[in-house]
Amino acid sequence: MLNVNDLRSEPFLWIHLAGIAVFPILVGITSIGLSIGDSYPFWLELPLLIAIAIVPIFWMQFSRPFDIFSVLFLCLRSECLSDRQKEILSLFKTFRHRCFSVVAAIMMILLLWLLYRLSPLSIDIIGFVPQQRILGLSIAGLGFLASNLFLQIPLSVLLVLSTKADRLAKTMPYEENKISQDFTMIGIKISKILWFVESEADSLKNISP
Protein backbone atom coordinates (compact mmCIF):
# COMPACT_ATOMS: atom_id res chain seq x y z
CA MET A 1 0.00 0.00 0.00
CA LEU A 2 1.46 3.33 -1.09
CA ASN A 3 1.84 6.02 1.56
CA VAL A 4 3.33 9.49 1.96
CA ASN A 5 6.65 8.12 3.23
CA ASP A 6 6.96 5.98 0.09
CA LEU A 7 6.60 9.07 -2.06
CA ARG A 8 9.06 11.13 -0.08
CA SER A 9 11.65 8.34 -0.16
CA GLU A 10 11.54 7.84 -3.93
CA PRO A 11 14.73 9.47 -5.31
CA PHE A 12 13.50 9.70 -8.90
CA LEU A 13 10.75 12.10 -7.84
CA TRP A 14 13.23 14.46 -6.21
CA ILE A 15 15.66 14.26 -9.12
CA HIS A 16 13.00 15.41 -11.58
CA LEU A 17 11.57 17.97 -9.18
CA ALA A 18 15.03 19.56 -8.96
CA GLY A 19 14.90 20.12 -12.72
CA ILE A 20 12.79 23.22 -12.09
CA ALA A 21 16.05 25.02 -11.22
CA VAL A 22 16.98 25.01 -14.93
CA PHE A 23 13.70 26.64 -15.98
CA PRO A 24 14.71 30.32 -15.43
CA ILE A 25 17.93 29.81 -17.39
CA LEU A 26 16.05 28.36 -20.35
CA VAL A 27 13.52 31.19 -20.25
CA GLY A 28 16.43 33.64 -20.39
CA ILE A 29 17.86 31.84 -23.42
CA THR A 30 14.45 32.05 -25.09
CA SER A 31 14.28 35.78 -24.47
CA ILE A 32 17.74 36.29 -25.96
CA GLY A 33 16.82 34.23 -29.03
CA LEU A 34 13.70 36.31 -29.61
CA SER A 35 15.78 39.49 -29.64
CA ILE A 36 18.04 38.34 -32.49
CA GLY A 37 17.35 39.82 -35.91
CA ASP A 38 14.39 41.72 -37.32
CA SER A 39 11.17 39.95 -36.44
CA TYR A 40 8.72 38.57 -38.93
CA PRO A 41 5.00 39.35 -38.47
CA PHE A 42 3.76 38.57 -34.95
CA TRP A 43 0.93 36.38 -36.26
CA LEU A 44 3.48 34.16 -38.02
CA GLU A 45 6.18 33.81 -35.38
CA LEU A 46 4.10 33.22 -32.28
CA PRO A 47 1.99 30.32 -33.67
CA LEU A 48 5.19 28.78 -35.05
CA LEU A 49 6.88 28.91 -31.65
CA ILE A 50 3.77 27.54 -29.95
CA ALA A 51 3.71 24.61 -32.38
CA ILE A 52 7.42 23.89 -31.91
CA ALA A 53 7.95 24.58 -28.22
CA ILE A 54 4.64 24.10 -26.40
CA VAL A 55 2.43 21.61 -28.24
CA PRO A 56 4.86 18.62 -28.18
CA ILE A 57 5.49 18.73 -24.42
CA PHE A 58 1.83 19.43 -23.67
CA TRP A 59 0.69 16.49 -25.79
CA MET A 60 3.28 14.20 -24.22
CA GLN A 61 2.15 15.04 -20.69
CA PHE A 62 -1.53 14.91 -21.65
CA SER A 63 -1.50 11.58 -23.49
CA ARG A 64 1.70 9.70 -22.61
CA PRO A 65 3.33 11.27 -19.52
CA PHE A 66 7.09 11.19 -19.19
CA ASP A 67 8.29 8.09 -17.35
CA ILE A 68 10.03 9.61 -14.33
CA PHE A 69 12.06 6.47 -13.72
CA SER A 70 14.61 7.79 -16.18
CA VAL A 71 17.79 9.82 -15.82
CA LEU A 72 19.42 11.55 -18.79
CA PHE A 73 19.45 8.91 -21.56
CA LEU A 74 18.82 5.91 -19.34
CA CYS A 75 15.44 4.41 -18.48
CA LEU A 76 14.44 1.63 -16.11
CA ARG A 77 12.86 -1.39 -17.77
CA SER A 78 9.17 -1.88 -16.92
CA GLU A 79 9.81 -5.32 -15.48
CA CYS A 80 12.45 -3.89 -13.13
CA LEU A 81 10.06 -1.47 -11.44
CA SER A 82 8.85 -2.36 -7.95
CA ASP A 83 5.16 -2.43 -7.11
CA ARG A 84 5.62 0.86 -5.25
CA GLN A 85 7.12 2.48 -8.35
CA LYS A 86 4.28 1.17 -10.51
CA GLU A 87 1.81 2.69 -8.05
CA ILE A 88 3.63 6.01 -8.37
CA LEU A 89 3.30 5.79 -12.15
CA SER A 90 -0.46 5.37 -11.72
CA LEU A 91 -0.56 8.79 -10.06
CA PHE A 92 0.71 10.38 -13.28
CA LYS A 93 -2.26 9.04 -15.27
CA THR A 94 -5.11 10.81 -13.52
CA PHE A 95 -7.71 13.26 -14.80
CA ARG A 96 -6.25 15.86 -12.46
CA HIS A 97 -2.89 15.60 -14.22
CA ARG A 98 -4.48 16.05 -17.63
CA CYS A 99 -6.31 19.17 -16.48
CA PHE A 100 -3.10 20.47 -14.99
CA SER A 101 -1.27 19.92 -18.29
CA VAL A 102 -3.84 22.09 -20.06
CA VAL A 103 -3.50 24.87 -17.46
CA ALA A 104 0.32 24.70 -17.62
CA ALA A 105 0.26 24.92 -21.43
CA ILE A 106 -1.96 28.01 -21.31
CA MET A 107 0.39 29.62 -18.78
CA MET A 108 3.36 28.90 -21.04
CA ILE A 109 1.59 30.51 -24.01
CA LEU A 110 1.05 33.64 -21.92
CA LEU A 111 4.70 33.56 -20.83
CA LEU A 112 5.84 33.21 -24.44
CA TRP A 113 3.72 36.20 -25.44
CA LEU A 114 5.26 38.23 -22.59
CA LEU A 115 8.80 37.22 -23.59
CA TYR A 116 8.02 38.18 -27.15
CA ARG A 117 6.90 41.63 -26.07
CA LEU A 118 9.91 42.16 -23.78
CA SER A 119 12.55 40.66 -26.08
CA PRO A 120 13.80 44.08 -27.37
CA LEU A 121 15.24 44.64 -23.88
CA SER A 122 17.79 41.88 -24.55
CA ILE A 123 19.14 43.31 -27.80
CA ASP A 124 22.24 44.85 -26.21
CA ILE A 125 23.18 41.54 -24.58
CA ILE A 126 23.78 39.67 -27.83
CA GLY A 127 24.93 42.37 -30.20
CA PHE A 128 27.95 40.22 -31.18
CA VAL A 129 25.71 37.38 -32.48
CA PRO A 130 24.88 37.30 -36.23
CA GLN A 131 21.55 39.09 -36.46
CA GLN A 132 19.71 36.45 -38.46
CA ARG A 133 16.10 35.93 -37.49
CA ILE A 134 16.15 32.23 -38.35
CA LEU A 135 19.00 31.76 -35.89
CA GLY A 136 17.11 33.69 -33.24
CA LEU A 137 13.91 31.72 -33.73
CA SER A 138 15.85 28.45 -33.61
CA ILE A 139 17.45 29.41 -30.30
CA ALA A 140 14.11 30.61 -28.92
CA GLY A 141 12.27 27.50 -30.10
CA LEU A 142 14.76 25.05 -28.60
CA GLY A 143 15.09 27.09 -25.41
CA PHE A 144 11.36 27.30 -24.84
CA LEU A 145 10.84 23.63 -25.75
CA ALA A 146 13.36 22.69 -23.07
CA SER A 147 11.83 25.16 -20.60
CA ASN A 148 8.44 23.51 -21.10
CA LEU A 149 9.98 20.13 -20.38
CA PHE A 150 11.72 21.38 -17.24
CA LEU A 151 8.51 23.00 -16.03
CA GLN A 152 5.83 20.45 -16.87
CA ILE A 153 7.67 17.45 -15.47
CA PRO A 154 8.69 19.00 -12.11
CA LEU A 155 5.19 20.43 -11.63
CA SER A 156 3.61 17.04 -12.36
CA VAL A 157 5.97 15.51 -9.79
CA LEU A 158 4.94 18.19 -7.30
CA LEU A 159 1.31 17.30 -7.98
CA VAL A 160 2.07 13.66 -7.20
CA LEU A 161 3.91 14.56 -4.00
CA SER A 162 0.85 16.53 -2.87
CA THR A 163 -1.47 13.53 -3.23
CA LYS A 164 -3.49 12.93 -0.07
CA ALA A 165 -2.97 9.81 2.04
CA ASP A 166 -6.44 8.39 1.40
CA ARG A 167 -5.92 8.65 -2.35
CA LEU A 168 -2.52 6.98 -2.07
CA ALA A 169 -4.03 4.08 -0.14
CA LYS A 170 -6.40 3.36 -3.05
CA THR A 171 -3.73 3.51 -5.74
CA MET A 172 -3.05 0.30 -7.63
CA PRO A 173 0.19 -0.59 -9.46
CA TYR A 174 0.14 0.33 -13.14
CA GLU A 175 -0.07 -2.71 -15.41
CA GLU A 176 3.45 -3.65 -16.41
CA ASN A 177 2.58 -4.56 -20.00
CA LYS A 178 0.97 -1.14 -20.56
CA ILE A 179 3.75 1.06 -19.22
CA SER A 180 5.73 1.24 -22.48
CA GLN A 181 2.66 2.21 -24.50
CA ASP A 182 1.12 4.63 -21.96
CA PHE A 183 4.30 6.45 -20.89
CA THR A 184 7.06 8.20 -22.82
CA MET A 185 10.23 6.23 -22.12
CA ILE A 186 13.30 8.09 -23.39
CA GLY A 187 16.74 6.54 -23.49
CA ILE A 188 18.39 3.14 -23.24
CA LYS A 189 16.39 0.69 -21.17
CA ILE A 190 18.46 -0.88 -18.40
CA SER A 191 17.83 -2.87 -15.23
CA LYS A 192 19.18 -0.38 -12.70
CA ILE A 193 20.12 3.30 -12.77
CA LEU A 194 20.57 4.48 -9.20
CA TRP A 195 22.85 1.67 -8.02
CA PHE A 196 23.13 3.22 -4.57
CA VAL A 197 19.38 2.75 -4.00
CA GLU A 198 18.41 -0.75 -2.97
CA SER A 199 15.30 -2.02 -4.74
CA GLU A 200 12.52 -3.97 -3.03
CA ALA A 201 13.59 -7.08 -4.90
CA ASP A 202 17.14 -6.73 -3.58
CA SER A 203 15.81 -6.24 -0.06
CA LEU A 204 13.84 -9.47 -0.23
CA LYS A 205 16.93 -11.34 -1.42
CA ASN A 206 18.94 -10.01 1.49
CA ILE A 207 16.44 -11.10 4.14
CA SER A 208 15.67 -14.49 2.63
CA PRO A 209 17.41 -17.46 4.35
Side-chain angles (χ1 to χ4, degrees):
M1 181 183 296
L2 191 63
N3 56 53
V4 175
N5 289 331
D6 291 332
L7 286 181
R8 292 177 179 176
S9 62
E10 178 53 62
F12 283 96
L13 291 175
W14 296 106
I15 289 173
H16 291 294
L17 181 61
I20 193 68
V22 186
F23 176 73
I25 299 173
L26 295 170
V27 170
I29 292 174
T30 301
S31 180
I32 290 174
L34 289 173
S35 67
I36 296 176
D38 296 327
S39 62
Y40 296 117
F42 175 84
W43 53 265
L44 176 63
E45 289 190 340
L46 197 60
L48 177 64
L49 289 171
I50 290 173
I52 293 174
I54 296 179
V55 172
I57 304 301
F58 158 71
W59 187 246
M60 178 187 74
Q61 288 300 95
F62 187 84
S63 58
R64 293 183 61 199
F66 178 77
D67 181 358
I68 60 139
F69 297 106
S70 310
V71 175
L72 297 177
F73 299 106
L74 301 175
C75 181
L76 274 180
R77 297 178 183 275
S78 302
E79 60 270 21
C80 296
L81 296 176
S82 65
D83 286 342
R84 183 186 69 182
Q85 290 172 325
K86 293 173 186 175
E87 289 172 352
I88 291 174
L89 278 183
S90 295
L91 297 174
F92 286 90
K93 291 287 288 185
T94 63
F95 179 73
R96 183 173 69 153
H97 267 77
R98 287 191 170 189
C99 292
F100 187 82
S101 297
V102 174
V103 173
I106 293 173
M107 291 174 59
M108 292 303 287
I109 291 174
L110 294 175
L111 176 59
L112 179 60
W113 174 82
L114 181 62
L115 292 175
Y116 194 92
R117 296 295 300 271
L118 297 177
S119 60
L121 299 177
S122 303
I123 291 178
D124 294 337
I125 300 177
I126 39 77
F128 58 91
V129 176
Q131 296 300 300
Q132 298 179 3
R133 192 57 177 173
I134 296 299
L135 173 63
L137 290 176
S138 299
I139 293 174
L142 291 174
F144 209 63
L145 176 70
S147 69
N148 268 276
L149 183 67
F150 282 94
L151 177 72
Q152 286 260 16
I153 293 176
L155 290 184
S156 66
V157 168
L158 189 61
L159 200 62
V160 165
L161 289 171
S162 66
T163 305
K164 295 182 179 180
D166 56 343
R167 174 71 179 84
L168 292 176
K170 299 176 183 178
T171 302
M172 300 297 294
Y174 208 84
E175 294 184 42
E176 183 180 308
N177 59 348
K178 290 185 177 181
I179 292 176
S180 60
Q181 66 187 43
D182 291 346
F183 289 86
T184 300
M185 305 177 73
I186 301 175
I188 302 172
K189 296 180 181 179
I190 60 176
S191 300
K192 196 166 187 178
I193 298 177
L194 303 180
W195 61 90
F196 51 85
V197 178
E198 188 177 44
S199 67
E200 290 181 4
D202 293 334
S203 298
L204 290 175
K205 290 178 183 179
N206 291 335
I207 64 175
S208 59

